[in-house]
Amino acid sequence: MSFTLHGLPVSGGIAIGRAHLMSHATLEVSHLVIAPRLVEKEVARFEEALLRVHEEFASLKERLHNSPGEFGAFIDLHTMILADPELADTPKQLIRERRCNAEWALVQQMEVLVGQFESFEDQYLRERSYDVRQVVERVIKELVGQPGRVALRTSKGVKEEDLIIVAHDLSPADVIAYKDHHVAAFVTDVGGSTSHTAILARSLRIPAVLGLHNARQLIQDKENLIVDGTRGVLIVNPDARILDEYRLRKSQIELERTKLRRLKTAKSSTLDGVDIALHANIELPGDVANALDGGAEGVGLFRTEFLFLDRGDMPTEDEQFEAYRTVVKGMGGRPVTIRTFDLGYDKDLHPGKVVGDRMQSNPALGLRAIRLSLAESKMFQTQLRAILRATQFGKIKLLIPMLSQAHEIDQTLAAIERAKATLRSENCPFNEEIEVGAMIEIPAAALAVGLFLRRLHFLSIGTNDLIQYTLAIDRSDEQVAHLYDPLHPAVLMLLAHTIASAEKVHIPVSICGELAGDPLLTRLLLGMGLRQFSMHPAQILSVKQRIMQSNCAELAPIVRRMLRHEEPGKIREQLEKLNT
């Protein structure tokens, strides 16, 4: 029987193949009472399982040569969660106090931690609850004698590259192991756009659809599947007509990708000779290779918080310096924009351990980003010194997130001057003329953009948060996500106002949110006057193609007329005409 499931499109492309069902350990374990004389033996059994999983993670880490940086970062994160006292020690206390079996004690503590993570509003942190579950599942498999090693058993005549992995969830260790097998696609019941499966699938450029809820139960092993990672569609047992249609679409996509690769070295300019800068968003030093492979002319956004979130302690100044230097040298003279950490008390520096007194009712509006940096001056000085030291190795620009007030800008500039002064006193070389810019991601900042233009060297619009704050919508909340609309007139007015205001005083402005990487919006942004885009490396060539087919002089008056509409539907109609 043929049927269709809909999920989250997290990694584009089309895959056609056979289902390969991945088993997972049940976390509904039995509660057994242990005899007093066997309690310490049960504790030892638990410790041995932890040790075996730790050794497995270490072995995986050794195999990660020449792999994207995210791979090692996620293994480090799971290793850290495994070692956290909340999972490594508390279950032992439960075993001793309640005389229970190790599996039950571990699952009880897991539920406590998962509940804490799921209470957060921040999407990234909520999805770390999956990591906790995956680490526990790994240990449970060891305890019951079913280690979580990946094994692919292909049927006669079926190639590995035709296998589509179907799972309730995939851990980083699973995805990394499958990397060596060249599978066609991933589909899972759980996970979101910022989950490790999504990030790793994009790094591997493998189609993936997540959040399918019950695909693992509905699909049988070896069934024929079509995965549309662009639309978030999974078709089970497609008929011949659908299969032919998707084979044609798949070949067209592959042909288009081949054509796009030819644009890698082409100049990014419009038909009327306007040069457009295309930069990459990166999260870790290992992403530099993908940025260059995608044809990036620089790094428009280095999200430094991933240096903090994917480990259990604060990186030292030297460790941060090495990371920044690696990126700058790797980009070979191209500009690198480093954003100071966008952390908050909802994103604790120990992601495997939730600190209760730091929980807030609404962390998205709380002490985060530059607010936290100014409150934690020692931490901020450490990062600023590390960034400034790296400026001697290439062109670095400093980007400050979530600024909204003039006094915040002044305090930030004063903090930068203090960092410079300490480096001068140590005779440490750095670029005295480093450019400092602001993220425009709060409506107040866009409306009062003059405050920023008078004090700073450049602007970068973070459209993800700007849309969320403007419309008061959390797009990770399924009940209101459909109201998240980049084409809402208020959003477009804020974008146009910011770009036009910066253009008047000749201050560079870029967009580094998801809008920058959507080819359907490229001409709209060009018509607004945008001349610098920053996006995921995989999106650069598609956007470049649209730029090379556009004429800025013709687009400007059309877009001005579009912005007069007050209905998103009308704007959408005009946008479709703009792209024909």
Side-chain angles (χ1 to χ4, degrees):
M1 182 182 73
S2 178
F3 60 94
T4 301
L5 298 175
H6 296 269
L8 299 173
V10 299
S11 185
I14 291 173
I16 301 172
R18 297 285 186 90
H20 179 82
L21 270 58
M22 181 178 174
S23 63
H24 64 282
T26 176
L27 298 178
E28 296 177 359
V29 299
S30 300
H31 180 194
L32 305 177
V33 178
I34 306 298
R37 62 186 177 81
L38 298 177
V39 166
E40 290 306 315
K41 186 176 181 180
E42 188 70 5
V43 169
R45 188 170 75 93
F46 174 68
E47 291 176 335
E48 289 170 5
L50 290 180
L51 179 61
R52 286 194 294 271
V53 175
H54 182 82
E55 290 172 346
E56 180 189 353
F57 288 162
S59 175
L60 279 169
K61 190 72 183 291
E62 291 178 359
R63 292 164 46 193
L64 294 181
H65 301 298
N66 301 317
S67 295
E70 299 99 328
F71 285 38
F74 282 121
I75 289 297
D76 288 343
L77 177 60
H78 277 213
T79 301
M80 182 199 66
I81 292 173
L82 183 69
D84 191 282
E86 295 286 349
L87 282 182
D89 295 337
T90 303
K92 290 189 283 187
Q93 295 176 14
L94 291 175
I95 294 171
R96 291 186 174 108
E97 292 170 2
R98 304 188 188 183
R99 288 170 43 207
C100 59
N101 55 314
E103 295 90 339
W104 189 83
L106 179 59
V107 170
Q108 298 311 298
Q109 183 57 19
M110 177 199 73
E111 294 296 348
V112 172
L113 284 177
V114 166
Q116 291 175 322
F117 276 107
E118 290 180 344
S119 69
F120 290 118
E121 293 191 14
D122 179 81
Q123 183 181 5
Y124 179 90
L125 195 61
R126 273 205 312 274
E127 289 185 352
R128 299 291 68 77
S129 65
Y130 297 133
D131 294 285
V132 175
R133 288 186 182 277
Q134 289 160 353
V135 170
V136 169
E137 183 177 289
R138 217 87 186 168
V139 178
I140 293 291
K141 285 184 175 181
E142 288 290 347
L143 286 168
V144 300
Q146 298 176 353
R149 315 289 191 266
V150 164
L152 284 183
R153 296 177 300 279
T154 59
S155 302
K156 187 176 181 180
V158 178
K159 301 177 182 178
E160 281 188 353
E161 53 265 36
D162 294 329
L163 293 180
I164 294 171
I165 305 303
V166 181
H168 176 70
D169 196 8
L170 289 169
S171 72
D174 295 328
V175 179
I176 291 166
Y178 282 126
K179 165 181 172 283
D180 297 333
H181 290 283
H182 308 290
V183 297
F186 297 125
V187 296
T188 65
D189 293 337
V190 301
S193 60
T194 60
S195 68
H196 51 70
T197 306
I199 294 171
L200 296 178
R202 288 193 290 267
S203 296
L204 294 171
R205 300 186 180 182
I206 292 175
V209 178
L210 310 187
L212 289 161
H213 300 298
N214 54 2
R216 177 65 180 74
Q217 292 178 314
L218 295 174
I219 295 171
Q220 301 295 316
D221 206 29
K222 301 178 185 177
E223 282 189 307
N224 292 322
L225 301 179
I226 295 174
V227 177
D228 187 338
T230 304
R231 299 179 181 178
V233 174
L234 173 65
I235 303 173
V236 183
N237 293 322
D239 60 34
R241 181 179 60 83
I242 296 295
L243 200 56
D244 288 343
E245 178 185 334
Y246 268 91
R247 281 174 177 154
L248 177 60
R249 285 182 55 196
K250 186 173 186 289
S251 63
Q252 290 172 336
I253 290 173
E254 290 171 353
L255 179 61
E256 186 64 26
R257 283 180 176 172
T258 301
K259 290 180 180 178
L260 284 176
R261 295 298 298 172
R262 299 172 188 168
L263 299 180
K264 180 178 174 180
T265 58
K267 186 178 180 181
S268 177
S269 61
T270 61
L271 294 172
D272 54 336
V274 178
D275 292 337
I276 307 297
L278 295 178
H279 292 179
N281 296 341
I282 69 169
E283 293 161 355
L284 294 163
D287 296 336
V288 167
N290 282 341
L292 294 174
D293 186 59
E297 300 167 42
V299 171
L301 176 64
F302 181 3
R303 298 183 176 101
T304 59
E305 59 270 15
F306 280 79
L307 298 175
F308 296 76
L309 290 170
D310 293 329
R311 54 181 289 157
D313 57 358
M314 171 66 68
T316 65
E317 180 182 320
D318 285 343
E319 287 174 321
Q320 291 186 58
F321 163 69
E322 289 297 336
Y324 306 143
R325 180 172 67 171
T326 298
V327 170
V328 174
K329 293 182 72 174
M331 290 303 293
R334 300 171 182 84
V336 175
T337 300
I338 299 178
R339 183 177 70 183
T340 59
F341 56 78
D342 189 5
L343 289 168
Y345 280 148
D346 62 316
K347 290 180 184 173
D348 189 73
L349 297 180
H350 305 275
K353 183 177 177 64
V354 178
V355 183
D357 60 2
R358 290 186 173 184
M359 291 179 66
Q360 300 177 26
S361 59
N362 196 341
L365 303 180
L367 190 61
R368 55 165 289 206
I370 190 57
R371 300 169 182 174
L372 177 60
S373 295
L374 294 174
E376 299 281 353
S377 59
K378 184 177 179 181
M379 185 189 305
F380 196 30
Q381 285 294 305
T382 298
Q383 184 175 38
L384 290 175
R385 282 174 52 90
I387 293 172
L388 287 168
R389 286 170 56 193
T391 59
Q392 61 184 299
F393 297 97
K395 184 178 181 181
I396 289 178
K397 298 199 291 184
L398 185 59
L399 182 61
I400 311 299
M402 210 178 179
L403 286 166
S404 63
Q405 311 273 354
H407 71 84
E408 288 176 338
I409 303 174
D410 295 338
Q411 285 179 276
T412 300
L413 294 175
I416 295 170
E417 288 305 315
R418 285 196 297 274
K420 288 181 176 180
T422 60
L423 290 175
R424 288 190 203 103
S425 68
E426 299 169 10
N427 294 319
C428 182
F430 66 92
N431 178 14
E432 291 274 4
E433 305 301 321
I434 184 173
E435 294 183 12
V436 181
M439 288 281 289
I440 303 298
E441 50 193 331
I442 299 174
L447 291 170
V449 71
L451 296 172
F452 299 80
L453 296 173
R454 288 191 292 272
R455 290 169 168 82
L456 300 167
H457 301 99
F458 67 96
L459 302 178
S460 184
I461 305 174
T463 52
N464 299 358
D465 273 345
L466 183 63
I467 297 169
Q468 175 171 265
Y469 291 138
T470 301
L471 303 182
I473 289 179
D474 179 359
R475 62 176 174 164
S476 64
D477 184 339
E478 294 179 358
Q479 299 179 78
V480 296
H482 65 284
L483 299 173
Y484 183 94
D485 186 3
L487 296 180
H488 190 288
V491 173
L492 298 183
M493 283 190 285
L494 291 175
L495 291 177
H497 172 68
T498 303
I499 294 169
S501 299
E503 185 179 20
K504 285 179 183 177
V505 294
H506 308 292
I507 295 290
V509 58
S510 70
I511 286 182
C512 60
E514 289 188 17
L515 266 65
D518 187 345
L520 294 178
L521 299 177
T522 300
R523 286 179 176 165
L524 173 64
L525 297 174
L526 289 173
M528 287 184 182
L530 188 70
R531 299 295 180 259
Q532 182 172 315
F533 297 66
S534 189
M535 65 203 74
H536 189 282
Q539 300 167 320
I540 291 175
L541 294 181
S542 296
V543 171
K544 180 187 280 191
Q545 182 182 53
R546 187 56 58 93
I547 288 169
M548 296 173 68
Q549 297 168 342
S550 303
N551 185 309
C552 286
E554 293 178 359
L555 289 172
I558 298 173
V559 170
R560 279 197 297 270
R561 291 194 295 271
M562 284 179 62
L563 296 178
R564 294 176 191 155
H565 292 290
E566 296 181 350
E567 293 291 333
K570 291 283 188 183
I571 295 173
R572 198 164 275 107
E573 287 178 12
Q574 295 300 311
L575 184 64
E576 289 177 4
K577 294 179 181 178
L578 199 64
N579 285 301
T580 55

